[in-house]
Amino acid sequence: MGDEGFGPRIVFDIMGISVTETVTVTWFIMFVLLVFSIAVTRNMKREASGIQLVVEQLVGIINNMTKQNMGEKNAAFAPYVGTLLLFIGISNIIGLFGFRPPTADLNTTMCLSIATFVLTQFFGMKSKGLGGYGKGFLEPMPFLLPLNIIGELANPISLGFRLFGNITAGVIIMTLLYGALGAFTNSLLGLTVPLLQAGVPAVLHIYFDLFAGLLQSFIFTMLTMVFISGAME
């Protein structure tokens, strides 16, 4: 949380192309997930224990969640759902470690929502056929076609802005809080400023980065499953 503003900083340039902290933190998260996946699956045993047992439980939860929300026939979406949930979840809570969340950048959240939109349209057409899918926009009345199209286009926009707005709000509040505590130089009831600077932000970090971050990752993933499965029905 620096003083240079609420937007992502430019970390370095490559041949005139500016690379922001959103990109570098995203690369870091992808690298961590890749290394973790390789490490966990390298020496898998028939009888799971330790970290393998934890991962298998997590995979089971994601599989069940996918089946419950998308149906047994769409269980193959579980890997995508799990990847989306893990990436957004880690991106949202990474502020606990002093990094700027990639999801506090509208470019990231809109890319994720556009991916959901593309999958929704593709699998909707694949499931119903081009004619059947297009016919759905004429229901319940043909004159509602423009509204149905607008509503479909509004889904990725609302999905991306919801995630961006919630995470960015936390970043802005924490930035303002750090600035206010830095300017506050008096003691209060015998408590020194460093004590306030350590205690107050810690509580808010738990809410904005941990609770709200994990909640928003769950909401985004659930809505993704709802949109895709709804288009296929």
Side-chain angles (χ1 to χ4, degrees), residues 1-21:
M1 309 295 176
D3 299 325
E4 58 280 342
F6 300 129
R9 294 179 298 105
I10 296 176
V11 180
F12 56 88
D13 291 327
I14 300 179
M15 295 183 293
I17 300 175
S18 298
V19 178
T20 65
E21 55 187 329

Side-chain angles (χ1 to χ4, degrees), residues 10 25 35 43 58 61 63 86 95 99 107 153 170 176-177 223:
I10 296 176
V25 175
V35 171
N43 296 309
L58 178 61
I61 292 172
N63 286 335
L86 286 174
F99 298 100
N107 295 296
L153 294 175
L176 293 173
L177 178 64
L223 288 174

Side-chain angles (χ1 to χ4, degrees), residues 178-223:
Y178 277 114
L181 289 176
F184 186 64
T185 56
N186 297 322
S187 298
L188 182 62
L189 297 177
L191 294 175
T192 60
V193 174
L195 221 113
L196 284 172
Q197 289 176 328
V200 177
V203 175
L204 292 179
H205 268 304
I206 291 174
Y207 175 77
F208 287 116
D209 292 331
L210 192 59
F211 175 74
L214 293 178
L215 178 63
Q216 290 305 317
S217 64
F218 179 75
I219 291 174
F220 190 100
T221 306
M222 288 293 294
L223 288 174

Side-chain angles (χ1 to χ4, degrees), residues 82-96:
T83 302
L84 196 63
L85 184 63
L86 286 174
F87 174 76
I88 297 177
I90 295 175
S91 296
N92 289 351
I93 68 173
I94 204 166
L96 287 169

Side-chain angles (χ1 to χ4, degrees), residues 7-232:
R9 294 179 298 105
I10 296 176
V11 180
F12 56 88
D13 291 327
I14 300 179
M15 295 183 293
I17 300 175
S18 298
V19 178
T20 65
E21 55 187 329
T22 297
V23 176
T24 54
V25 175
T26 299
W27 286 346
F28 174 71
I29 294 172
M30 292 167 59
F31 177 76
V32 169
L33 287 173
L34 178 62
V35 171
F36 178 76
S37 300
I38 294 174
V40 170
T41 58
R42 237 179 122 181
N43 296 309
M44 297 187 69
K45 299 177 182 178
R46 185 176 294 274
E47 294 185 5
S49 61
I51 189 66
Q52 181 183 334
L53 180 61
V54 174
V55 171
E56 287 187 3
Q57 292 293 328
L58 178 61
V59 170
I61 292 172
I62 292 172
N63 286 335
N64 290 332
M65 184 174 68
T66 305
K67 291 176 184 177
Q68 289 173 4
N69 290 279
M70 301 186 72
E72 290 281 347
K73 62 180 180 179
N74 295 321
F77 282 96
Y80 176 72
V81 170
T83 302
L84 196 63
L85 184 63
L86 286 174
F87 174 76
I88 297 177
I90 295 175
S91 296
N92 289 351
I93 68 173
I94 204 166
L96 287 169
F97 305 99
F99 298 100
R100 179 186 172 84
T103 42
D105 190 327
L106 188 58
N107 295 296
T108 299
T109 60
M110 287 307 298
C111 282
L112 293 171
S113 64
I114 289 172
T116 292
F117 177 76
V118 171
L119 289 174
T120 300
Q121 306 311 312
F122 175 79
F123 284 103
M125 293 177 189
K126 183 178 179 181
S127 176
K128 299 178 180 179
L130 189 58
Y133 186 69
K135 185 180 177 182
F137 287 94
L138 301 174
E139 298 175 349
M141 295 292 181
F143 68 84
L144 293 177
L145 174 63
L147 290 178
N148 289 333
I149 294 176
I150 292 173
E152 194 70 22
L153 294 175
N155 284 338
I157 297 175
S158 63
L159 194 62
F161 271 94
R162 180 187 292 107
L163 179 58
F164 167 73
N166 281 280
I167 303 305
T168 303
V171 172
I172 292 175
I173 290 173
M174 293 308 301
T175 301
L176 293 173
L177 178 64
Y178 277 114
L181 289 176
F184 186 64
T185 56
N186 297 322
S187 298
L188 182 62
L189 297 177
L191 294 175
T192 60
V193 174
L195 221 113
L196 284 172
Q197 289 176 328
V200 177
V203 175
L204 292 179
H205 268 304
I206 291 174
Y207 175 77
F208 287 116
D209 292 331
L210 192 59
F211 175 74
L214 293 178
L215 178 63
Q216 290 305 317
S217 64
F218 179 75
I219 291 174
F220 190 100
T221 306
M222 288 293 294
L223 288 174
T224 293
M225 289 190 287
V226 170
F227 289 155
I228 295 175
S229 60
M232 298 173 67

